[in-house]
Amino acid sequence: MLSAFRVATRSRGFATNAAVPGLTGAIGNTPLIYLKGLSEKSGTQIFGKAEFQNPGGSVKDRAALGLVLDAEEQGLIKPGGTVVEGTAGNTGIGLAHVCRARGYKCVIYMPDTQSQEKIDLLRMLGADVRPVAAVAFENPRNYNHQAREYAESLDNAIWTDQFDNVANANAHYISTGPEIWEQAEGKLDGFICSTGTGGTLAGVGKYLKEKSGGKTQIWLADPPGSVLTSYISSGGKLVERSGSSITEGIGQGRITNNLGTFVNDLTGAFTVPDEKSIAMVYDLLDTEGLYLGASSALNVVAAVELAQKLGKGSRVATVLCDGAYRYQSRLFSKKWLASKGLEGAIPAHLKKYAVLD
């Protein structure tokens, strides 16, 4: 499975001094950034995998490529076919890029709660975007179910099923995990990130745990409104989902097949309040020069907290999922932040960055 993806990522190593074969060859091989200010302040070493440097702008490029290549290898789609997915945004953007590069049509079903920047970009990339009401997964009108039904109604089409198709997690196991391990020189006490599909956490976590002989702890970071922290803390009890978060594309009300490949091997989990994520968006911009989205900021908050839990000098890595460009009308809008009760979360000396009314 994913042999073409494995060959593509391994054949060029983790250097960028050689040409790559088109857009798909440029996916992966992102830098691991040492976050100097936060590391020095916490007395630990914090690293962020710069997934915003993928050609589609997010960590989801890896899953998108892995899902499409897996379908090709299984003979599930032929040239000129249609790729359909239900996505909160970034997987759709990755798929739109991959589909353009490999000659497929792309149809995206997404919750109508997502940022306009994401919707506009998908359409500019040639995707057929179909916003639908945001309802729970259990509801037959959930965007994932509508995507599956539409794909089933077409000839030469696939529903990539990013949440439960484990080709997603495998893509991270054979690319993201090995990159982080090599870039960290095999010295990593912990890895933590949030999860939507579960692919990144499961794939990277599995690789790092195997490679370290179980020494690298793997933790999950959750936004408010997700049930995963309680599931892990309770030993496997799913509670009814309640609450919400301003972060997009992360948090879950169930255990996906991707997460299910590794959930029992997680060391632990904890929830990061939106207030801390917003404060970190601004802190990273001010101290590191990194313009990142809220899920990336949540991951960094969690990485700092995990490193402090592990002790002075510990080395922890996380994922910088995407940039703030797709969320700037929200994250840097005083009016929008105030409507969510979050304007006060910005430290006083950083309010100068909230330039949108």
Side-chain angles (χ1 to χ4, degrees), residues 149-170:
E149 290 167 4
Y150 182 69
E152 291 172 347
S153 74
L154 302 175
D155 293 326
N156 191 20
I158 58 166
W159 170 49
T160 44
D161 189 14
Q162 61 164 327
F163 289 89
D164 293 315
N165 183 345
V166 296
N168 176 348
N170 286 339

Side-chain angles (χ1 to χ4, degrees), residues 228-252:
L228 298 180
T229 293
S230 62
Y231 176 88
I232 294 164
S233 300
S234 68
K237 181 180 179 182
L238 273 175
V239 299
E240 186 175 346
R241 194 169 187 172
S242 63
S244 62
S245 171
I246 55 94
T247 56
E248 296 184 21
I250 58 173
Q252 260 299 344

Side-chain angles (χ1 to χ4, degrees), residues 14-164:
F14 305 129
T16 55
N17 58 355
V20 296
L23 176 135
T24 56
I27 293 174
N29 191 21
T30 59
L32 186 68
I33 299 176
Y34 173 64
L35 301 177
K36 183 175 183 291
L38 290 169
S39 296
E40 292 179 349
K41 188 185 301 183
S42 64
T44 62
Q45 296 181 61
I46 310 297
F47 301 89
K49 186 72 165 140
E51 291 299 283
F52 57 86
Q53 289 198 9
N54 280 306
S58 86
V59 65
K60 294 298 187 178
D61 284 10
R62 296 186 192 252
L65 179 59
L67 291 165
V68 170
L69 290 181
D70 181 63
E72 289 177 351
E73 290 180 9
Q74 293 189 61
L76 300 177
I77 191 168
K78 298 176 177 60
T82 303
V83 173
V84 186
E85 183 55 278
T87 167
N90 279 334
T91 301
I93 292 166
L95 284 170
H97 278 285
V98 171
C99 286
R100 292 269 55 77
R102 300 187 78 80
Y104 301 120
K105 303 178 188 70
C106 183
V107 179
I108 301 297
Y109 284 80
M110 68 190 308
D112 57 11
T113 54
Q114 300 307 295
S115 67
Q116 191 62 43
E117 289 95 336
K118 283 183 180 178
I119 295 172
D120 291 343
L121 177 55
L122 280 166
R123 288 174 172 157
M124 285 186 279
L125 289 170
D128 176 355
V129 185
R130 305 183 180 192
V132 298
V135 296
F137 182 81
E138 293 75 18
N139 188 312
R141 303 313 296 162
N142 176 273
Y143 63 100
N144 292 291
H145 304 320
Q146 292 196 52
R148 182 193 70 248
E149 290 167 4
Y150 182 69
E152 291 172 347
S153 74
L154 302 175
D155 293 326
N156 191 20
I158 58 166
W159 170 49
T160 44
D161 189 14
Q162 61 164 327
F163 289 89
D164 293 315

